[in-house]
Amino acid sequence: MKGHVRALGYGGGVEAPQRQIDANQRRQRGALMVLALLALLVQILTRLYVDRDPAATFVSVPAMVAFGLNGLLVVLAGWPRLPIHHVQRGAVGLVTLWLLLNVAVVAQTQRPITSGLLLHAVIVFLLAFSWLPLRWATVLVSVTYGLLFSGAMQSTVPDVPGLILTGFTIPLAWHLTLHGQEVSTERVRSAALAAIAATDPLTGLCNRRSGEAQLAALAGQRQAAPERLAVILFDLDHFKQINDSLGHRRGDEVLVAVAALLRDLTRPSDVLVRWGGEEFLVALADLSPADAREVGQRVLTVVRTVLPPGIPPVTLSAGLACLSEAAGVAGLVDLADRRLYEAKAAGRNRMVAGP
């Protein structure tokens, strides 16, 4: 039962915005992994080109080194314990090293500078301004461009117009990445605010307004099989006595504990709502009525035994109803509420369901 008390800390509602942030970081890590794998594919194709073209042997060693750097980038992107900002900064460093390696080859062999090398520089500029602090990015981009210009001037065909145009992309990359960061930050902020607006701040469950919307959506999706949608309305027995005798803070701890139990005893797809002061609603989709009753009974059984230290035993009463028994969502909740009060009248610490 120890697993059921993981969220008994006070103020569990802070979890919802953090989940949004974590999800955004997972998306960033996934996108970086895709980019790393695409870059690895480019290296493989480059190596095949080198093997088939004897005139391109001068890029053989740089291609092999770049292949190793790219493999390291794949490792960084796939390292789950490494913070995402470390992965991003490592990526900037590896891509920059790859560029400077190619610049050194240009300076040594005096071969013509290629459009691919200039495009590589633009990629470095974009990544630096996107993932590094502005001061670091400015220094890195300035030094990198200076080395690129210096190395390219050693070439037999320096492509000065291309170098100048590449230099123009520096402020352009700064502007575009700054705008992109503002848009990304605003999206994360909007998602976090939406999660806060839909979440009960104490328990971290859906608040009533959000719960009603999700329940309506579930009901609309299951019109063809209304018996596959059930709601259980739970109410803490004698909760006022806990607040009066132990204080509201202890009462809040009980509510947080019950919310944690509900999370542990239900599926991620189930809708959990703090319906009222000490009332909780659970919407169970795609379960038979018998399975829904089993879930309700299991909650009642566990809540009798798993409580925060120092709190006297508490129990729940519950009413269960299926959509097939009611006309619409309002009737469904009203029926569950009537059965909840039947459970209260029958002595509490029990659940009343349909026939």
Side-chain angles (χ1 to χ4, degrees):
M1 291 297 184
K2 291 183 179 179
H4 295 303
V5 295
R6 63 183 182 209
L8 299 186
Y10 187 77
V14 298
E15 296 174 357
Q18 186 60 47
R19 285 197 296 270
Q20 294 289 335
I21 295 172
D22 293 343
N24 183 63
Q25 291 188 354
R26 285 193 297 272
R27 286 193 294 269
Q28 291 183 42
R29 189 181 296 274
L32 186 55
M33 175 59 78
V34 171
L35 291 175
L37 292 174
L38 287 175
L40 189 60
L41 177 60
V42 169
Q43 288 303 312
I44 293 173
L45 295 176
T46 300
R47 183 62 194 177
L48 292 175
Y49 166 75
V50 170
D51 291 340
R52 295 181 61 182
D53 187 356
T57 54
F58 61 85
V59 299
S60 178
V61 173
M64 290 300 296
V65 175
F67 188 86
L69 293 176
N70 204 104
L72 182 56
L73 179 58
V74 172
V75 172
L76 290 177
W79 192 350
R81 292 176 178 259
L82 191 63
I84 184 64
H85 63 276
H86 289 336
V87 177
Q88 292 170 338
R89 292 174 184 180
V92 174
L94 292 174
V95 174
T96 303
L97 283 176
W98 183 3
L99 171 66
L100 295 180
L101 176 65
N102 284 289
V103 170
V105 171
V106 169
Q108 181 180 7
T109 62
Q110 298 184 340
R111 66 182 176 88
I113 190 169
T114 64
S115 58
L117 187 61
L118 299 179
L119 179 60
H120 191 158
V122 173
I123 292 173
V124 170
F125 303 158
L126 288 169
L127 294 181
F129 283 122
S130 297
W131 291 342
L132 297 182
L134 180 59
R135 183 178 299 177
W136 295 8
T138 302
V139 172
L140 177 67
V141 167
S142 300
V143 172
T144 301
Y145 182 70
L147 293 173
L148 173 66
F149 197 94
S150 176
M153 294 306 294
Q154 306 299 317
S155 169
T156 55
V157 184
D159 190 9
V160 174
L163 288 169
I164 294 174
L165 184 61
T166 302
F168 171 73
T169 65
I170 293 177
L172 182 62
W174 169 78
H175 172 73
L176 292 177
T177 53
L178 179 63
H179 176 69
Q181 288 172 350
E182 290 175 349
V183 172
S184 178
T185 300
E186 183 59 30
R187 285 180 177 175
V188 172
R189 179 176 175 272
S190 297
L193 290 175
I196 292 173
T199 303
D200 173 60
L202 176 65
T203 63
L205 304 183
C206 297
N207 58 27
R208 182 162 181 163
R209 182 175 183 179
S210 172
E212 288 176 337
Q214 294 190 55
L215 181 57
L218 289 175
Q221 296 165 5
R222 286 158 182 84
Q223 290 298 322
E227 73 282 355
R228 305 291 290 182
L229 176 62
V231 299
I232 308 175
L233 197 58
F234 295 98
D235 185 87
L236 274 160
D237 297 327
H238 304 297
F239 184 68
K240 185 176 183 302
Q241 294 180 8
I242 297 176
N243 282 334
D244 292 343
S245 60
L246 299 178
H248 287 275
R249 185 176 183 85
R250 279 296 198 182
D252 287 348
E253 290 178 356
V254 172
L255 295 174
V256 172
V258 172
L261 292 175
L262 290 175
R263 289 192 195 95
D264 285 348
L265 297 172
T266 55
R267 303 164 299 172
S269 59
D270 296 330
V271 178
L272 310 180
V273 188
R274 187 181 178 191
W275 197 250
E278 65 267 24
E279 286 187 334
F280 298 89
L281 182 142
V282 178
L284 305 168
D286 301 321
L287 290 180
S288 68
D291 289 337
R293 282 195 293 272
E294 183 179 341
V295 172
Q297 292 294 348
R298 186 162 64 247
V299 171
L300 266 61
T301 299
V302 172
V303 80
R304 299 185 190 111
T305 56
V306 181
L307 294 168
I311 294 181
V314 297
T315 58
L316 291 173
S317 298
L320 182 150
C322 294
L323 185 60
S324 56
E325 302 177 275
V329 172
L332 172 65
V333 175
D334 183 63
L335 179 57
D337 188 55
R338 291 201 305 270
R339 288 175 176 170
L340 166 62
Y341 279 95
E342 291 177 18
K344 293 279 189 182
R348 297 182 170 83
N349 191 20
R350 68 195 65 208
M351 181 176 69
V352 173

